[in-house]
């Protein structure tokens, strides 16, 4: 299916948000996720199904001061 990940169109075989994170190498990373501008908590990623055309944002926290 075709999705937009962090502003870039791409193909994925992932069916859930958790599977997409695994596919993109974020398996153990602490990240925030949103699908179609709606926040998806980490506890819901395994069951959040993706659809063709979804817009996904993966944001990694930054530290600084």
């Amino acid at each position: 299916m075709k999705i937009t990940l962090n502003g870039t169109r791409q193909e994925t075989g992932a069916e859930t948000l958790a599977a997409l994170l695994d596919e993109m190498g974020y398996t153990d990373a602490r990240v925030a996720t949103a699908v179609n501008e709606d926040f998806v908590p980490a506890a819901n990623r395994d069951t959040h199904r993706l659809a063709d055309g979804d817009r996904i944002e993966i944001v990694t926290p930054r530290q600084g001061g």
Side-chain angles (χ1 to χ4, degrees):
M1 86 178 77
K2 293 182 182 180
I3 61 167
T4 302
L5 177 62
N6 292 346
T8 303
R9 292 279 293 166
Q10 64 184 67
E11 293 270 343
T12 183
E15 294 184 7
T16 65
L17 184 54
L20 178 66
L21 290 171
D22 288 343
E23 184 179 302
M24 296 292 112
Y26 291 101
T27 303
D28 296 321
R30 295 182 58 130
V31 296
T33 55
V35 177
N36 300 323
E37 300 180 13
D38 291 324
F39 173 72
V40 179
N44 296 355
R45 293 176 187 158
D46 284 335
T47 58
H48 189 97
R49 303 213 35 99
L50 299 178
D52 194 49
D54 277 349
R55 297 177 323 277
I56 296 105
E57 295 292 328
I58 301 172
V59 181
T60 56
R62 292 188 173 188
Q63 292 183 342

